[in-house]
Amino acid sequence: MPGYTADEVNRFDKATIQILKQNAQQDAVKVGNSLFVNFFEAGEVGNLSVDKPLSVIKIEENGRLDIYAADPTLLIEDEINLSVLGKYLLKEGNNVTSIILDDKTKFTFKLDDHQKYFSAVEESQETSEITQETINSNNTDDSPGNSTASTSQENSEDSSTVATNNIVDTNVETSENVVEDTSNNNEVAVEGVQESDSEEEQLIDQTSSEQIAFSQMYLDKYAKMLKNMTDVDISIIDNFNYDHYFTATLSESNKHGLGGRFQTGFNQSLNNHTKIGAFAEYRYNDINQLGLGANARWYDFSSFIRYRHVFDRSAHADYLDLYLGYDKTFTFNQLSIQPRVGVLGSYLLDNKLPDNGKLDNHFAVQTQLSSKFNYHIGGVALYVEPTWKVNLDDSYHLKLNGKEYELNRSRQEWIGKIGVTKNIGNYTFDFSVQTNNHQERKMIATFNYQF
């Protein structure tokens, strides 16, 4: 029940429905012999533990254990360790290993298409079944008993396929189909829940809607990665007045951690009012960005065209950027003011996202308005620079696992920046701090060499 506090769910704590956990680490509900858990991080609840964020349904009945696991983040690629209380022997499951450790059983597996189903039986029951098979070894293959066992096995395989396919869609379909399709015993358990009072039926409906919200929360985390891919930097325009330059920047953010940027390039004067040049840059801030471009400056107008490759170990995207802007500096004794207005267009050429996800080709437009106020004193310049960015583009269309989602960038961003600059010959040192309307705070140190 994501979004509810522990106090808010206490009134639903009935004999057939138990709220085991409701906090930032786990959401756990037990219905009869079925345990439903959303692990937001590695942890343990109800004698079930995992070492990675995971959504798990555990069903225990008559010595049989059924596990249904899914990764709503769509990002887990490593092996997962899942442990339960009791000694179990693996009965069904592809590429799953199990080991009994004292009074627990640990299952190790990798997800198939972000999901997994496997079953096991208690060690004592498996021994009993082996004995029964020995007794029945003289029966004919076409006896009614053998025919029934074969049909049961086929139905079991069919039901697990249906359940795991539905896990991809939503957690709502998972909770319904897994319980309905696993076995006859589990169907009886569901019927018992359906015959409960109306308040419990309302709880199930309400929990289903909250599970949709839970899935959306994980989709938002996926969208956060896409936000990093679409983040565009135009600081290269500050170097268009230099003949040759090299700039190194180191930043520390409360949301993105350590980041960096390196820029180098040259500019050639054609006449007193016109310069053209070329540049290369590399930027890291949660994701790598490599850019190559050409630029021009005419009077107080600046422009550039840039090819930009964005990548990490699981995704990449290619962009073509085009910028046009105007800025002019006004000086009043020790005070200088530099207003700037610009428009940046970015066209998404190609991309590949984790799990074969893909964004449609997209043209994004961003306008930027800023003004830098410098006060020169004692050989240093103190400055304040407010910036306003507005995104004018439509939604991004993400295709993932046969479905299409719309992802929207924040419509606008406000940035406030204060800093100090010191020039020593051809070297410039700059230190600043900034914040924005998304509560991101950043410290930035920049070294620039002009030659």
Side-chain angles (χ1 to χ4, degrees):
M1 299 177 66
Y4 284 76
T5 66
D7 291 337
E8 288 173 337
V9 300
N10 280 340
R11 63 190 179 93
F12 295 114
D13 200 356
K14 302 282 186 172
T16 56
I17 300 179
Q18 302 174 18
I19 310 299
L20 302 183
K21 289 283 186 178
Q22 188 71 28
N23 53 40
Q25 290 75 42
Q26 299 110 10
D27 287 336
V29 177
K30 188 173 183 181
V31 181
N33 297 316
S34 302
L35 175 65
F36 304 83
V37 187
N38 287 323
F39 289 95
F40 299 101
E41 60 185 41
E44 180 175 1
V45 60
N47 297 323
L48 170 69
S49 64
V50 296
D51 65 348
K52 290 179 176 61
L54 204 65
S55 293
V56 181
I57 299 176
K58 183 186 77 167
I59 303 174
E60 288 182 288
E61 190 162 11
N62 298 329
R64 178 185 173 93
L65 171 71
D66 291 281
I67 296 291
Y68 303 84
D71 168 29
T73 69
L74 309 179
L75 298 176
I76 297 177
E77 299 178 355
D78 300 330
E79 284 189 339
I80 297 171
N81 294 310
L82 181 150
S83 298
V84 298
L85 182 63
K87 298 181 180 181
Y88 289 92
L89 298 178
L90 187 65
K91 190 73 173 177
E92 180 183 350
N94 295 325
N95 300 319
V96 181
T97 61
S98 64
I99 183 172
I100 297 175
L101 302 171
D102 295 329
D103 60 344
K104 292 185 176 182
T105 305
K106 182 176 76 171
F107 299 93
T108 302
F109 56 91
K110 283 190 174 183
L111 298 176
D112 302 322
D113 294 329
H114 318 295
Q115 56 195 300
K116 198 72 172 183
Y117 164 77
F118 58 89
S119 64
V121 295
E122 288 183 347
E123 188 178 35
S124 58
Q125 180 171 322
E126 178 71 9
T127 303
S128 175
E129 288 180 358
I130 292 174
T131 303
Q132 184 64 34
E133 288 175 4
T134 302
I135 295 173
N136 296 331
S137 61
N138 294 326
N139 290 343
T140 60
D141 291 338
D142 57 353
S143 65
N146 288 334
S147 175
T148 303
S150 175
T151 304
S152 174
Q153 176 65 19
E154 291 173 0
N155 289 340
S156 175
E157 292 174 357
D158 289 342
S159 74
S160 65
T161 301
V162 172
T164 52
N165 285 340
N166 283 309
I167 286 174
V168 176
D169 295 337
T170 64
N171 287 340
V172 181
E173 295 181 2
T174 300
S175 61
E176 292 175 354
N177 288 301
V178 164
V179 178
E180 290 178 0
D181 294 331
T182 50
S183 68
N184 292 333
N185 290 334
N186 292 330
E187 288 177 2
V188 173
V190 172
E191 289 173 1
V193 174
Q194 291 173 343
E195 291 173 0
S196 59
D197 59 43
S198 59
E199 184 178 5
E200 290 172 355
E201 291 176 355
Q202 292 174 2
L203 167 64
I204 293 173
D205 293 339
Q206 191 169 10
T207 302
S208 297
S209 64
E210 292 298 337
Q211 286 173 332
I212 296 175
F214 171 76
S215 299
Q216 182 61 44
M217 179 184 66
Y218 273 105
L219 183 61
D220 290 342
K221 290 185 178 181
Y222 196 85
K224 182 180 178 181
M225 182 192 71
L226 299 178
K227 178 181 181 298
N228 293 330
M229 296 180 64
T230 57
D231 185 26
V232 187
D233 178 75
I234 64 166
S235 60
I236 191 70
I237 62 178
D238 294 326
N239 297 301
F240 289 173
N241 285 322
Y242 305 134
D243 290 340
H244 303 85
Y245 58 87
F246 172 79
T247 301
T249 299
L250 187 66
S251 63
E252 174 68 28
S253 166
N254 65 318
K255 289 192 174 182
H256 300 287
L258 194 65
R261 183 180 66 233
F262 301 92
Q263 300 170 328
T264 187
F266 69 91
N267 294 287
Q268 178 67 46
S269 296
L270 300 182
N271 53 50
N272 292 336
H273 309 295
T274 308
K275 278 188 174 184
I276 60 173
F279 61 87
E281 57 184 348
Y282 170 76
R283 178 187 175 208
Y284 173 76
N285 190 13
D286 279 352
I287 200 165
N288 302 279
Q289 298 199 34
L290 178 65
L292 297 172
N295 58 273
R297 186 168 179 87
W298 181 68
Y299 288 92
D300 297 317
F301 292 92
S302 298
S303 67
F304 68 76
I305 185 171
R306 172 178 62 190
Y307 164 75
R308 182 163 48 91
H309 181 62
V310 184
F311 63 98
D312 66 8
R313 66 182 182 88
S314 61
H316 74 262
D318 298 298
Y319 290 89
L320 185 65
D321 300 330
L322 180 62
Y323 173 83
L324 177 63
Y326 176 86
D327 66 273
K328 187 173 181 64
T329 301
F330 303 91
T331 302
F332 308 95
N333 296 324
Q334 295 174 289
L335 177 66
S336 64
I337 302 174
Q338 184 184 24
R340 172 179 290 158
V341 61
V343 178
L344 174 69
S346 295
Y347 183 70
L348 178 59
L349 300 168
D350 187 30
N351 67 97
K352 181 180 179 181
L353 304 179
D355 309 305
N356 295 318
K358 191 175 181 65
L359 289 171
D360 288 346
N361 292 345
H362 184 271
F363 185 68
V365 179
Q366 183 184 86
T367 61
Q368 299 191 9
L369 177 64
S370 66
S371 188
K372 188 173 184 179
F373 301 86
N374 289 279
Y375 184 75
H376 302 270
I377 181 173
V380 300
L382 308 176
Y383 66 88
V384 176
E385 185 176 13
T387 302
W388 180 37
K389 300 179 181 180
V390 179
N391 297 312
L392 304 177
D393 50 303
D394 296 328
S395 303
Y396 287 82
H397 292 275
L398 168 66
K399 294 178 179 177
L400 182 65
N401 292 329
K403 291 188 175 182
E404 184 168 318
Y405 304 92
E406 285 191 355
L407 301 174
N408 295 297
R409 291 201 295 175
S410 175
R411 184 59 62 182
Q412 60 181 344
E413 180 180 5
W414 294 90
I415 301 173
K417 183 177 181 181
I418 59 173
V420 57
T421 301
K422 173 68 175 179
N423 292 320
I424 303 177
N426 292 335
Y427 302 93
T428 301
F429 302 90
D430 185 290
F431 178 79
S432 63
V433 294
Q434 74 175 38
T435 186
N436 62 21
N437 57 319
H438 303 301
Q439 287 78 50
E440 179 183 4
R441 295 173 296 279
K442 183 184 295 187
M443 294 187 297
I444 307 169
T446 300
F447 164 77
N448 182 278
Y449 174 55
Q450 315 100 36
F451 56 97

